[in-house]
Amino acid sequence: MADPKRRKRSGGRAGNTRREAAAIDQMPWRLPQNIDRPTEPLTPEGVEAVHDGAMRILEEIGIDFLNEEAIEIFKEAGCKVDGENVKMDREWVMEMLSHAPSDFHITPRNPDKQIHVGGKTMLFGNVSSPPNYYDIEQGRKTPGTREQCANLLKLTQYFNCIHFAGGYPVEPVDVHASVRHLDVVHDKLLLTDKVVHAYSLGKERVEDVMEMVRIAGGMTHEEFDARPHMYTNINSTSPLKHDEPMIDGCLRLARRGQAIFVTPFTLAGAMAPVTMAGAVAQSIAEALAAIVLFQYVRPGVPCVIGTFTSNVDMKSGAPAFGTPEYMRATQMTGQMARFYKLPMRASGSCAANVPDGQAMWETSNALWSAVQSGTNIVYHAAGWLEGGLIASPEKFIMDCEVIQMIQRYMEPAITAAGPDEIAFDAIKEVGSGGHFFGIDHTQERYETAFYQPFVSDWRNFEAWEVTGGMWTAERAHRTYKQILEEFEAPAMDVAIADELREFVERRKREGGAPTDF
Amino acid sequence: MADPKRRKRSGGRAGNTRREAAAIDQMPWRLPQNIDRPTEPLTPEGVEAVHDGAMRILEEIGIDFLNEEAIEIFKEAGCKVDGENVKMDREWVMEMLSHAPSDFHITPRNPDKQIHVGGKTMLFGNVSSPPNYYDIEQGRKTPGTREQCANLLKLTQYFNCIHFAGGYPVEPVDVHASVRHLDVVHDKLLLTDKVVHAYSLGKERVEDVMEMVRIAGGMTHEEFDARPHMYTNINSTSPLKHDEPMIDGCLRLARRGQAIFVTPFTLAGAMAPVTMAGAVAQSIAEALAAIVLFQYVRPGVPCVIGTFTSNVDMKSGAPAFGTPEYMRATQMTGQMARFYKLPMRASGSCAANVPDGQAMWETSNALWSAVQSGTNIVYHAAGWLEGGLIASPEKFIMDCEVIQMIQRYMEPAITAAGPDEIAFDAIKEVGSGGHFFGIDHTQERYETAFYQPFVSDWRNFEAWEVTGGMWTAERAHRTYKQILEEFEAPAMDVAIADELREFVERRKREGGAPTDF
């Protein structure tokens, strides 16, 4: 890694800092600490009621596992198994949960980009898995491509406020499904050095991605297995069902000590009760059913409980995001995650189709509810449109501004109230006739005192108009193009890069993964 | 008022409800209760430090009052007066504050639109005082007119989520300043029946508006004086100064028992310390200095402590709004307002020049910080652009969507967790194979279970595109036009309407108010 020739050949510096000439002047990499007391809409009795509801679902209704291996494991563990249906006692559930760590680390190929999951740490990741792409230059929605996917991966790497790479930031449907995971994870490992993800979509995919992450980190198999280097994220098939490939992928990761996020997608009124506490209770039951399975298989494997509880549009049945109900469901799930002492995942989401006002109020609602709920991992935090059906680079840029503001908001320095901050002497010095611009107290602090935006335009109307009168999405588009132009991939050892390429080529020759599921 | 002929002549129904055919299907009028525990970034020691800082400013530096009457009153009260500078002991300040009510009511001409100020109640008002107007149809910024002002007053009346009318929603510069208050307050009292405001800009204006509010309410002078029917809002001239007309207006209202909001505008780094706790301490000192004067003059007069503490752009010195620093300053001020047991005012604000993404994330930040801080009165909640220099009808509509969502968010029903909400039986009924659309538990609740938007478009991209592919601002513009078309002014007794018109005509003949200040 220290050989400058090698380093030059395989890529430059990751991210950028204020000291470098750069498209934007962004905040440095850090793991933000959420210092706010969470907003807790459930009373203590309400928490008990949701818990009891979830436990009764597990005990009396049960969860379907369309995975034979899981069924055998549940039998072995003494659960009540009837076909695909599994019922489990709350005592056993709570015992399994007691093995789950309340926080852990994931270490990607660049150890400086290690993340801490849990506690007060709050992390943000890129949009994952939209099948379509929209930008204002093309002005329409089209199926995603590998190039668009790579461009969004560059944004994922570029922004220091984005801590991990989720799934494909857009589904590259121009790459055959049998080898898509090979090409895109290859791109991802070259273009980013942050924590990456594997889709749980069949054993070949999961095993391939684990192997690629191992190679990219220059690790032995033992080193890979020794601690988390990657993660998978699964949804349940609500109501009350876990599918074959999802559970299979998780079991494979669990056995190698990698991290697992379980995120039911419970739309109140459709796949879950119309009442939000009921939708949360069902979501908790579905998530816990999988997490306890993984804890039984490998006690202590790092698991995250996720929430994707929202509501449908009463008129059309379409899913809605960033609604008042969504916010409260997220906050309630935060209370439950703390009750079970599990790290929590939420999302930045919206129903809007373009990066406009609606997109930003819905996403702001979603992101602030993540802050208020004490969420540790925010999935889809940048780039999401149309309820997750569209990835947008402009939205990615705009979301990163909001995310940076949230990270700045969490700095305790803003609300420090010591004598230097109360600034009595400065107030006395200025008195009633002057202003604070020129005094020492201001001069010593003004460069770092306030959040500095990169896409917000704070100039007055006339100055803004004279330089083109660009609305936010247009400014964001220009920033996006500028970032792409100057992007340098993070360094990778040439031998590692070769090994990775050879692995991908070999696996392609072998046919990749089956696509008949 | 019961005579249908009279009523027909002078106006129709106020606002609208779900049961009427209407441009939009809005939520009913109500006084929302903020059930969330406030976010409190200051430690208890921090609260003491800000308090001590504010008290030391009042004791050791003093506040300038450019108002002779106020100076004489402070002398009479035993404060240390040196020219315009007034220093006051913290004991006296706290004694005066002990007279101020922690909550109160203001009753406008329609008693059904009475508002409660304080406690957990959270109220929203229209944008006030921008000198300019922008809408996407005209596509540019122009000085405000009486017609635009009237149109924005119609929105103020139309939306049930807007509880009171602030100052002029846009400054109608086509009306001569000497009679502007007569014409615009006349428009306001005809077009709305909500609580209105008087600018403290000279004794004639304040006295005229009080008289017009009295006439509009059909009250005797004694009835008017008996309880609050209106309010004024003043800023200090930071740092550390209160101007002649502002204090004069407040003293006139105080003596007639009307409500007073005192809102320093302390931009950290410009008119206040660059440190946010210092800017808040100064703001508190400036606000309290005026409030204690009014409490001395009329113990128990309703006062509200306001905050307008934000930061400047480090590059240009331009004011910024909805920033992380702004949010924290608002939350800190909330803590101080509770410390002094005073109702609190904050704002919905942004620096953006057009109703785009930036406008909505900045306004969302501002509005959510108002929620988090336990704010009682949100000024400028709908329609504000360009740091308050532009009023926009599209922004008004878009903000009302966000405000409605906040009000829905506050309904405890969303997070109720009794057996009906946990919905164990519904979950059992649906099992793992069905969906919740058709079951009784859903059917009984779905009409009111979720927030119903009026300008958000939750349809998928294709359905949205087929009907024009309109971005949010364009949809908001159409809604605005539709509301204007169907607007009906609230009823007013003909005799009252005549008396009001005659008063305005007489005062115009007399020349209105002097404009040489």
Side-chain angles (χ1 to χ4, degrees):
Chain A
M1 291 284 284
D3 179 345
K5 228 168 84 190
R6 284 197 160 184
R7 192 162 156 175
K8 196 175 170 207
R9 194 187 140 205
S10 62
R13 282 283 299 280
N16 78 317
T17 70
R18 293 207 172 182
R19 279 172 299 285
E20 294 168 357
I24 63 161
D25 196 18
Q26 65 173 312
M27 283 160 58
W29 167 270
R30 51 106 143 278
L31 303 184
Q33 300 299 302
N34 185 353
I35 56 180
D36 283 359
R37 190 167 55 182
T39 300
E40 304 203 312
L42 287 173
T43 60
E45 296 73 31
V47 171
E48 284 296 341
V50 173
H51 167 61
D52 184 63
M55 293 301 124
R56 284 189 69 200
I57 292 168
L58 295 175
E59 289 174 330
E60 302 174 39
I61 306 175
I63 306 286
D64 286 4
F65 281 82
L66 310 190
N67 180 297
E68 280 179 26
E69 189 184 3
I71 290 292
E72 290 310 313
I73 296 167
F74 279 120
K75 277 185 191 161
E76 178 197 303
C79 296
K80 226 172 290 168
V81 176
D82 179 11
E84 292 160 343
N85 181 268
V86 181
K87 295 189 179 77
M88 42 194 106
D89 290 344
R90 66 182 73 199
E91 289 71 25
W92 183 76
V93 169
M94 296 306 282
E95 186 198 332
M96 290 303 109
L97 288 179
S98 72
H99 303 315
S102 61
D103 72 323
F104 57 90
H105 292 82
I106 311 180
T107 311
R109 72 175 178 92
N110 177 358
D112 294 344
K113 299 285 170 64
Q114 186 190 61
I115 58 176
H116 172 248
V117 180
K120 297 274 182 203
T121 306
M122 186 171 187
L123 308 170
F124 298 83
N126 60 276
V127 64
S128 301
S129 315
N132 303 296
Y133 177 90
Y134 170 96
D135 72 30
I136 60 168
E137 194 177 347
Q138 73 175 36
R140 62 208 171 85
K141 173 183 175 181
T142 51
T145 68
R146 184 174 178 184
E147 188 190 348
Q148 290 160 353
C149 182
N151 287 342
L152 293 168
L153 285 171
K154 290 176 185 173
L155 296 184
T156 300
Q157 173 67 10
Y158 182 86
F159 279 100
N160 295 323
C161 65
I162 299 294
H163 299 99
F164 63 94
Y168 312 150
V170 70
E171 189 81 25
V173 294
D174 57 345
V175 183
H176 192 270
S178 62
V179 296
R180 191 178 295 160
H181 68 289
L182 295 166
D183 280 340
V184 180
V185 175
H186 194 195
D187 289 350
K188 192 190 276 191
L189 288 168
L190 291 177
L191 293 172
T192 89
D193 60 3
K194 298 180 180 176
V195 166
V196 301
H197 152 280
Y199 284 102
S200 287
L201 287 174
K203 67 174 178 183
E204 293 82 3
R205 289 184 180 78
V206 169
E207 296 292 347
D208 285 345
V209 176
M210 284 199 284
E211 186 61 4
M212 291 171 77
V213 169
R214 186 193 67 76
I215 294 169
M219 288 175 272
T220 64
H221 287 279
E222 292 65 33
E223 286 167 345
F224 180 82
D225 292 358
R227 55 179 181 158
H229 300 284
M230 57 177 294
Y231 71 98
T232 190
N233 178 76
I234 64 161
N235 305 119
S236 45
T237 303
S238 303
L240 308 181
K241 199 183 293 174
H242 282 286
D243 276 344
E244 154 65 27
M246 303 287 198
I247 295 299
D248 176 78
C250 292
L251 287 172
R252 290 172 190 279
L253 260 73
R255 293 198 165 104
R256 300 194 67 180
Q258 305 303 307
I260 300 166
F261 306 175
V262 184
T263 311
F265 180 35
T266 48
L267 276 180
M271 301 100 93
V274 72
T275 45
M276 299 316 291
V280 169
Q282 182 186 311
S283 174
I284 296 290
E286 292 177 4
L288 293 185
I291 290 172
V292 296
L293 170 69
F294 310 138
Q295 293 303 323
Y296 180 80
V297 169
R298 176 149 169 169
V301 67
C303 288
V304 169
I305 190 165
T307 174
F308 224 122
T309 298
S310 192
N311 59 289
V312 294
D313 183 354
M314 295 186 294
K315 289 178 177 168
S316 66
F321 299 97
T323 62
E325 293 79 14
Y326 175 101
M327 296 183 75
R328 289 306 195 187
T330 306
Q331 294 168 352
M332 289 193 276
T333 305
Q335 292 184 266
M336 301 315 299
R338 287 187 291 283
F339 180 85
Y340 297 115
K341 298 189 175 61
L342 289 169
M344 176 186 168
R345 182 215 126 163
S347 303
S349 58
C350 63
N353 294 307
V354 281
D356 62 356
Q358 180 189 334
M360 297 321 295
W361 77 56
E362 289 177 338
T363 303
S364 291
N365 283 357
L367 291 175
W368 281 114
S369 72
V371 174
Q372 294 159 348
S373 62
T375 292
N376 301 108
I377 290 266
V378 186
Y379 231 68
H380 308 298
W384 154 305
L385 283 177
E386 203 204 1
L389 296 177
I390 291 179
S392 151
E394 294 93 358
K395 179 74 173 8
F396 199 115
I397 302 287
M398 291 160 71
D399 288 340
C400 282
E401 181 89 285
V402 176
I403 294 166
Q404 279 208 159
M405 284 195 283
I406 288 173
Q407 295 186 10
R408 164 76 188 166
Y409 165 90
M410 291 177 184
E411 287 177 21
I414 309 182
T415 53
D420 282 356
E421 286 81 23
I422 298 293
F424 178 81
D425 294 338
I427 294 168
K428 191 170 186 176
E429 180 185 346
V430 172
S432 62
H435 62 75
F436 289 76
F437 279 127
I439 64 166
D440 285 349
H441 184 265
T442 306
Q443 290 299 312
E444 285 158 12
R445 292 170 178 81
Y446 84 95
E447 282 191 1
T448 55
F450 308 132
Y451 175 70
Q452 182 67 40
F454 63 86
V455 71
S456 297
D457 194 326
W458 286 352
R459 295 171 305 166
N460 66 23
F461 190 94
E462 289 71 20
W464 166 82
E465 198 175 31
V466 130
T467 52
M470 284 185 285
W471 287 43
T472 309
E474 194 181 341
R475 297 197 303 274
H477 187 79
R478 293 185 176 219
T479 302
Y480 161 60
K481 286 297 180 69
Q482 216 175 330
I483 291 172
L484 286 194
E485 235 168 72
E486 70 173 42
F487 180 81
E488 287 184 68
M492 180 181 276
D493 185 276
V494 171
I496 286 176
D498 289 347
E499 190 182 347
L500 201 53
R501 196 186 55 251
E502 282 155 19
F503 175 83
V504 169
E505 285 166 2
R506 174 171 67 78
R507 289 289 298 123
K508 282 183 167 186
R509 282 195 304 273
E510 292 167 3
T515 55
D516 59 347
F517 60 86
Chain B
M1 293 281 283
D3 179 346
K5 228 166 89 192
R6 282 194 161 186
R7 195 161 154 174
K8 196 176 168 205
R9 197 190 136 202
S10 61
R13 280 285 297 280
N16 78 315
T17 71
R18 292 202 172 183
R19 278 171 300 284
E20 294 169 358
I24 63 162
D25 197 17
Q26 65 174 312
M27 282 160 57
W29 166 272
R30 62 320 249 317
L31 304 184
Q33 300 299 300
N34 186 350
I35 56 179
D36 283 357
R37 191 168 53 183
T39 300
E40 303 203 313
L42 287 173
T43 60
E45 297 72 33
V47 171
E48 285 295 339
V50 173
H51 168 60
D52 185 62
M55 293 300 123
R56 284 189 66 201
I57 292 168
L58 295 176
E59 288 173 332
E60 301 174 41
I61 305 175
I63 306 288
D64 287 3
F65 281 82
L66 310 190
N67 180 299
E68 280 180 26
E69 191 185 1
I71 290 292
E72 290 312 310
I73 296 167
F74 278 120
K75 275 184 191 160
E76 179 196 301
C79 296
K80 225 172 290 166
V81 176
D82 179 12
E84 290 159 344
N85 181 268
V86 180
K87 295 188 179 74
M88 43 195 104
D89 289 345
R90 66 181 72 198
E91 290 72 24
W92 182 75
V93 169
M94 296 307 281
E95 187 197 330
M96 290 303 110
L97 288 179
S98 72
H99 303 315
S102 61
D103 74 320
F104 57 88
H105 292 80
I106 311 182
T107 310
R109 72 174 176 93
N110 178 357
D112 293 343
K113 299 286 170 64
Q114 186 189 63
I115 58 177
H116 171 248
V117 180
K120 296 274 180 202
T121 306
M122 186 169 188
L123 307 169
F124 298 83
N126 60 276
V127 63
S128 301
S129 314
N132 303 296
Y133 176 90
Y134 170 96
D135 72 33
I136 60 168
E137 193 175 348
Q138 74 175 37
R140 61 207 171 86
K141 171 184 175 180
T142 49
T145 67
R146 185 175 177 183
E147 188 189 350
Q148 289 159 354
C149 181
N151 287 342
L152 293 167
L153 285 171
K154 290 175 185 173
L155 296 184
T156 300
Q157 173 68 10
Y158 183 85
F159 279 101
N160 295 322
C161 65
I162 300 294
H163 300 98
F164 63 94
Y168 312 150
V170 69
E171 189 80 25
V173 295
D174 57 345
V175 182
H176 193 271
S178 61
V179 297
R180 190 178 296 161
H181 67 289
L182 295 166
D183 279 340
V184 181
V185 175
H186 192 195
D187 288 351
K188 191 189 280 191
L189 289 169
L190 291 177
L191 293 172
T192 89
D193 59 4
K194 298 179 180 177
V195 166
V196 302
H197 152 280
Y199 284 104
S200 286
L201 287 173
K203 67 175 180 184
E204 293 81 3
R205 287 184 181 78
V206 169
E207 297 291 349
D208 284 346
V209 176
M210 285 199 284
E211 185 62 3
M212 290 170 77
V213 170
R214 185 191 68 75
I215 294 169
M219 287 175 272
T220 64
H221 288 278
E222 291 65 33
E223 285 166 346
F224 180 81
D225 293 358
R227 54 180 182 159
H229 301 284
M230 54 176 293
Y231 72 98
T232 190
N233 177 77
I234 64 162
N235 304 121
S236 45
T237 303
S238 301
L240 308 182
K241 200 183 291 175
H242 281 286
D243 277 344
E244 155 63 26
M246 302 286 198
I247 295 299
D248 175 76
C250 292
L251 287 172
R252 287 173 192 279
L253 259 70
R255 292 196 167 107
R256 300 194 66 182
Q258 305 304 306
I260 300 167
F261 305 175
V262 184
T263 311
F265 181 34
T266 50
L267 276 181
M271 301 99 95
V274 73
T275 44
M276 298 317 290
V280 169
Q282 180 185 312
S283 174
I284 297 289
E286 293 177 4
L288 293 185
I291 289 171
V292 296
L293 170 68
F294 310 138
Q295 294 303 324
Y296 180 79
V297 169
R298 174 146 171 171
V301 68
C303 288
V304 169
I305 190 165
T307 175
F308 224 122
T309 299
S310 191
N311 59 288
V312 294
D313 183 355
M314 295 186 294
K315 288 179 175 167
S316 66
F321 298 97
T323 62
E325 293 79 14
Y326 174 100
M327 296 182 76
R328 288 306 195 188
T330 305
Q331 294 168 352
M332 289 193 277
T333 305
Q335 293 184 264
M336 301 314 299
R338 285 187 291 281
F339 180 86
Y340 298 116
K341 299 188 175 62
L342 289 169
M344 176 185 169
R345 181 214 125 162
S347 303
S349 57
C350 64
N353 293 308
V354 282
D356 63 356
Q358 178 189 334
M360 296 322 295
W361 74 59
E362 290 177 337
T363 302
S364 291
N365 283 356
L367 291 175
W368 282 114
S369 72
V371 174
Q372 295 158 345
S373 62
T375 293
N376 302 106
I377 289 268
V378 187
Y379 231 69
H380 306 298
W384 153 305
L385 284 177
E386 202 204 359
L389 295 177
I390 291 178
S392 150
E394 295 92 359
K395 179 75 170 11
F396 199 114
I397 302 288
M398 292 160 70
D399 288 340
C400 283
E401 181 90 287
V402 176
I403 294 166
Q404 278 208 160
M405 282 196 284
I406 288 173
Q407 296 185 10
R408 165 75 187 166
Y409 165 91
M410 290 179 187
E411 286 177 22
I414 309 182
T415 53
D420 281 356
E421 286 81 23
I422 298 293
F424 178 82
D425 293 337
I427 295 168
K428 190 168 187 181
E429 179 184 347
V430 172
S432 63
H435 60 75
F436 288 75
F437 279 127
I439 64 167
D440 285 349
H441 184 264
T442 306
Q443 290 300 312
E444 285 159 11
R445 291 169 178 82
Y446 83 94
E447 282 192 1
T448 55
F450 308 131
Y451 175 70
Q452 181 66 42
F454 63 88
V455 71
S456 297
D457 195 324
W458 287 351
R459 296 172 304 166
N460 67 20
F461 190 94
E462 290 71 20
W464 167 82
E465 198 175 30
V466 132
T467 50
M470 286 185 284
W471 288 42
T472 310
E474 194 181 340
R475 297 198 303 274
H477 187 80
R478 291 182 179 220
T479 302
Y480 161 59
K481 285 298 179 69
Q482 215 176 333
I483 290 173
L484 286 195
E485 234 167 71
E486 71 172 42
F487 180 81
E488 286 184 67
M492 179 180 276
D493 185 277
V494 171
I496 287 176
D498 289 345
E499 189 181 349
L500 200 55
R501 194 183 58 251
E502 281 155 19
F503 176 83
V504 169
E505 284 167 0
R506 175 171 68 77
R507 288 288 299 121
K508 282 183 164 184
R509 283 195 303 273
E510 292 168 5
T515 56
D516 58 348
F517 60 89

